[in-house]
Amino acid sequence: MERRAALLLTLIALPASGLADTPEYAANDVVWIAIAAALVFLMQAGFALLESGLSRTKNAINVVMKNYMDLCVGTLMFWALGFGLMFGVNPSGWVGQDLFAPSQGDSDLWTLLLFQLMFAATAATIASGAMAERTRYLGYLCGAMLITGLVYPLFGNWAWNSDGWLAGLGFIDFAGSTVVHSVGGWCALAGIMVVGPRLGRFDNQGRPREIRGHNLSFVALGGFLLWFGWFGFNGGSTLGADVNIALLNLNTQLAAAAGALGAALYRVVSRRPVLLTETVNGSLAGLVAITAGCATMTPGFAIITGLLGGLLVGPGSRLLLSMKLDDVVGAVPVHAFAGAWGTLAAGLFYQGDLFDPQRAMVQMLGVVTAFAWAFFAALIMYMVLSLTAGLRAPSQHEQRGLDVSEHAELGYPEFAQQNLYDADVASGLDGRRWAPKNVTAAPSPPAWRPIWTAARCRKRSPFGSRNTPTARAFRCRATSAISATCSRWRVGAMICT
């Protein structure tokens, strides 16, 4: 922490042309930070795999494209605007005033800029998974630009700029449980509130329907890549090659393992099957939770921090469902809730000064401030985007899949389906919810063209008996509009394919 503060003081005290006269980094420091930045960059691949795996085949390309491009637009926005707002001269304690679009400097400036670019991209991509499968591509990218250019840098200035008002109070967030993850998580919460749930996610009574992802192997592989990248996320935040990296990364490993165990224990105690998806999210929640205090905790407290972070995943997801909020990948419990807990834990478990009430109050102030700023700023931002660029995809596009409607590509062309509806029928589906109670009879051909006729469906069903639940579900997907009486159930089944 002292090294970070000393470097930031140097950067804001000198003009860019004078930075070369006062080097802060030895060559081995620069090498380590560059490697750590590459590890954090690899986390983008982890996010892409995890989010794509938890989405359906018809949206796989759209999810990957959002992860790919929010890194690109976020990089340019943070270089042009965000870095200056976050690390520029800050006499007021609220906002940086220089270092915008830096083009002159020395290795000290470039080293810090490179590493912080990766953090900004991480904060932006968190909302992608939560809002997946029903968000317009352009509207999402506009939101990612504003997060990396304004929302994330301003809170980062308060907490990580040496003249920031939260930093002046002694706020502890070593690598970004709140600065990066909670800020991104609160933005994701605002996004899912504005964009609304996916079609068929809740029934008439508000009960959630299960919509499963298409590739859980991707989910596991994405979790491993994120875990691997976290050693650069936390270890690189030393901003130098020193012996403390060993403790930081040990705490990171212990917390991740404890988080997975915590998520699994919750499933066992609540007498539910232990799910891969929730276990992976538990390990990620443990990683998020330890990020704030990985440099100031002993290993025992790191385990407790990760364990409780993992335990938050299951109840947090169910809390969102009870509020009819559709978070596709569980980003809000993993990043927002676990990040808030980890920030409090960094104050409570501070090595050498445990359970200091004054430090705990400062940490609580930081958590509340992050929520108040990031959530409401993002809520306003997404509302404006919804009214201007457009945020929610049309219902017909959502049912066909955003791969086709947004990108004219298919991630799995062998699974491609014919159009579910023709123009006449689709004109009645432009609203967020299709109300089948207004349908009195199935339209006659050719106004409605089901993919298969009922007879062909029964004949070709590979499941044997017509009366088994599996066979009935197969026929329902294949003949999505034969009967109006259970059409709302069929929509839920159909969009799960």
Side-chain angles (χ1 to χ4, degrees), residues 2 39 61 67 76 111 141 168 192 224-225 252 282 285 326 376 387 433 436-437 448:
E2 291 79 5
L39 290 174
I61 294 298
N67 278 271
L76 297 177
T111 301
L141 289 184
I192 63 176
F224 278 126
L225 285 175
T252 300
D326 183 13
F376 288 106
L387 296 173
R433 287 184 176 272
K437 61 186 179 181
W448 195 306

Side-chain angles (χ1 to χ4, degrees), residues 3 83 125 159 225 279 300-301 306 313 318 328 330 353 425 438 461 485:
R3 188 180 186 90
F83 185 71
T125 203
L225 285 175
T279 303
F301 284 116
V313 171
R318 281 150 191 78
V328 176
D353 189 17
V425 176
N438 296 327
S461 173
T485 58

Side-chain angles (χ1 to χ4, degrees), residues 96 159 258 269 307 343 348 460:
V269 171
L307 181 70
T343 304
L348 294 172
R460 298 191 180 194

Side-chain angles (χ1 to χ4, degrees), residues 63-108:
V63 171
V64 172
M65 277 294 292
K66 287 173 180 174
N67 278 271
Y68 199 94
M69 285 303 296
D70 66 25
L71 171 67
C72 299
V73 299
T75 292
L76 297 177
M77 278 298 295
F78 190 75
W79 169 79
L81 179 62
F83 185 71
L85 292 175
M86 193 165 178
F87 293 111
V89 172
N90 185 17
S92 66
W94 290 89
V95 61
Q97 297 180 3
D98 65 354
L99 297 178
F100 299 108
S103 296
Q104 294 182 342
D106 68 351
S107 62
D108 295 341

Side-chain angles (χ1 to χ4, degrees), residues 285-309:
L287 289 164
V288 169
I290 196 57
T291 298
C294 58
T296 57
M297 287 187 195
T298 60
F301 284 116
I303 292 174
I304 295 173
T305 301
L307 181 70
L308 293 179

Side-chain angles (χ1 to χ4, degrees), residues 36 66 129 143 150 153 155 168 194-195 205 211 232-233 259 274 288 298 374 385 398 425 429 438 441 450 485:
K66 287 173 180 174
L150 184 64
F155 185 80
V194 174
V195 79
Q205 287 73 40
I211 300 180
F233 200 97
V274 179
V288 169
T298 60
L385 287 173
E398 185 179 343
V425 176
L429 301 179
N438 296 327
T485 58

